[in-house]
Amino acid sequence: MRKYIIAFALALTTIAGHAQTVETNTNIPVVNQNSTDIQEDLQQVLKPTYGDYYEGLTKKITFDRMIPPYGLEVTFDKTVHIIFPASIKYVDLGSNNIIAGKAGNSENVLRVKASVRRFETETNMAVITEEGSYYTFNIKYADEPEKLNIEMRDFMHDGVATNHPNNSMEIYLKELGSESPRIVYLINRSIYKNDKRIVKHIGSKRFGIQYLLKGIYTHNGLLYLHTSIKNTSNVSFDIDFIRFKVVDKKMMKQTAVQETVIYPLRAYNFVSQVGGNKTERTVFAIDKITIPNDKKLVIELFEKGGGRNQSFIIENEDLIRAEQINELKIK
């Protein structure tokens, strides 16, 4: 055994001497690398050049999962205005090369422009609206943008996997709880379009103004109140505000302590004026409530700069008889 070990050692010495002879005769450099260096070099060779490299187990996102962005051109000396079909709840900008904000007192108009002249890299922008739509834009600079005023249409997914719309309807908002904003919007619109009067005993009428509750509906933790304002006079009725409050039946004079104000979550077709000899209807969505027998829900309508105010009372027995909405029949 000892003989074999000595022979192996002599062989290694011979090979090392031969390597040194080759290095001396041919001037070929020998690079000494440890295992760590070799691993780093291997990683550099295998490293991809674009974004398909992930750590751990992953699944590739397919195109049918993608929300295709709109292409938008902006410039430094002009403002692009985008009109959305609902109030804007959220805006995110991809870089500081662009600026954006709501246009004045408008809730659904977004103004966008470049904050840097002739920026080269493309950026993006995302917008979420009140009824749960998600819009995304890829933005680049142009000296003269082709489109300065853009109206975004309100439409739904047609169900085809390869034909996703550019506004996804899957966004949920905190104030609506577990209800989809899109379903709330469709219910409001359906109630408004059907225009049924299922409640016939609640309302008020004086000074040529009639304020009615036409229906109470419920779905997934929310109540929908269908109201109507009819102006039979020749003088337009300018709405100051509408207030919902729960008050004690026994108190003749209400105070802030004795009443609870309820704020509508959504209002479909809310108008600020009812013209002479005109009728306007609004559907309000509120949190589902029940009222103790000693309390009542009061809805008040106030005229701006006038005295033709209206109000009516909703009892608890009216609320518990709310018509159930079947979302499969929503049109």
Side-chain angles (χ1 to χ4, degrees), residues 206-210 230-237 274-278 303 308:
R206 56 178 182 169
F207 310 124
I209 303 297
Q210 185 181 42
K230 184 177 182 180
N231 183 4
T232 59
S233 72
N234 296 322
V235 181
S236 63
F237 184 88
V274 181
N277 298 299
K278 300 288 184 180
E303 182 182 19
R308 296 179 291 177

Side-chain angles (χ1 to χ4, degrees), residues 2-178:
R2 182 180 180 83
K3 293 180 180 179
Y4 289 114
I5 295 174
I6 295 173
F8 182 70
L10 290 173
L12 289 178
T13 305
T14 303
I15 294 171
H18 179 68
Q20 291 178 357
T21 303
V22 172
E23 179 181 355
T24 303
N25 295 335
T26 61
N27 295 322
I28 298 176
V30 177
V31 179
N32 295 320
Q33 285 186 310
N34 56 36
S35 61
T36 303
D37 295 333
I38 294 174
Q39 288 293 332
E40 290 179 354
D41 291 342
L42 183 61
Q43 289 294 336
Q44 290 298 323
V45 172
L46 298 178
K47 186 176 180 180
T49 57
Y50 52 92
D52 63 350
Y53 178 71
Y54 303 96
E55 295 289 346
L57 182 64
T58 60
K59 181 179 179 180
K60 187 179 179 70
I61 297 176
T62 54
F63 279 98
D64 64 321
R65 297 290 183 179
M66 185 185 75
I67 302 173
Y70 289 97
L72 187 66
E73 294 178 337
V74 298
T75 189
F76 186 83
D77 296 314
K78 295 181 181 179
T79 302
V80 176
H81 287 84
I82 308 174
I83 304 172
F84 293 91
S87 298
I88 299 166
K89 299 288 289 185
Y90 167 90
V91 178
D92 180 76
L93 306 180
S95 74
N96 294 329
N97 290 333
I98 56 175
I99 55 175
K102 292 182 181 179
N105 294 326
S106 174
E107 290 294 323
N108 68 317
V109 180
L110 187 71
R111 51 187 178 84
V112 187
K113 68 183 306 181
S115 59
V116 178
R117 291 184 183 274
R118 294 182 175 83
F119 64 83
E120 295 181 357
T121 58
E122 187 178 277
T123 185
N124 70 333
M125 177 178 70
V127 178
I128 297 176
T129 55
E130 186 181 58
E131 28 76 307
S133 295
Y134 177 87
Y135 300 82
T136 178
F137 302 84
N138 281 345
I139 301 176
K140 66 179 181 179
Y141 190 92
D143 290 328
E144 291 294 337
E146 183 180 356
K147 303 176 182 68
L148 291 177
N149 302 292
I150 302 165
E151 182 177 9
M152 308 305 296
R153 292 191 176 183
D154 182 20
F155 58 94
M156 294 184 63
H157 195 316
D158 60 8
V160 180
T162 57
N163 190 25
H164 279 267
N166 287 35
N167 56 327
S168 175
M169 302 298 181
E170 305 298 333
I171 307 300
Y172 284 74
L173 303 176
K174 183 178 180 180
E175 65 266 25
L176 297 180
S178 61

Side-chain angles (χ1 to χ4, degrees), residues 192 195-197 202-204 209-215 225-231 242 274 278-284 301 310 312:
Y192 180 85
D195 192 20
K196 294 181 179 179
R197 186 178 181 184
I202 299 177
S204 66
I209 303 297
Q210 185 181 42
Y211 192 35
L212 298 177
L213 178 66
K214 302 190 68 173
L225 306 178
H226 183 197
T227 64
S228 171
I229 305 173
K230 184 177 182 180
N231 183 4
I242 296 176
V274 181
K278 300 288 184 180
T279 300
E280 295 288 351
R281 294 178 294 110
T282 304
V283 183
F284 296 97
L301 170 67
Q310 307 288 322
F312 55 73

Side-chain angles (χ1 to χ4, degrees), residues 303-320:
E303 182 182 19
K304 184 182 296 183
R308 296 179 291 177
N309 302 332
Q310 307 288 322
S311 68
F312 55 73
I313 297 171
I314 303 176
E315 304 282 356
N316 187 56
E317 59 185 17
D318 300 313
L319 293 176
I320 62 178

Side-chain angles (χ1 to χ4, degrees), residues 209-266:
I209 303 297
Q210 185 181 42
Y211 192 35
L212 298 177
L213 178 66
K214 302 190 68 173
I216 306 175
Y217 305 85
T218 182
H219 182 267
N220 200 16
L222 298 181
L223 286 173
Y224 298 85
L225 306 178
H226 183 197
T227 64
S228 171
I229 305 173
K230 184 177 182 180
N231 183 4
T232 59
S233 72
N234 296 322
V235 181
S236 63
F237 184 88
D238 296 317
I239 299 174
D240 191 4
F241 63 93
I242 296 176
R243 181 167 59 191
F244 296 69
K245 63 182 182 180
V246 177
V247 301
D248 196 324
K249 289 182 179 179
K250 297 180 180 179
M251 302 302 294
M252 296 298 295
K253 185 177 181 180
Q254 305 298 333
T255 65
V257 177
Q258 297 159 349
E259 66 183 36
T260 302
V261 177
I262 298 174
Y263 297 96
L265 303 174
R266 295 290 186 271

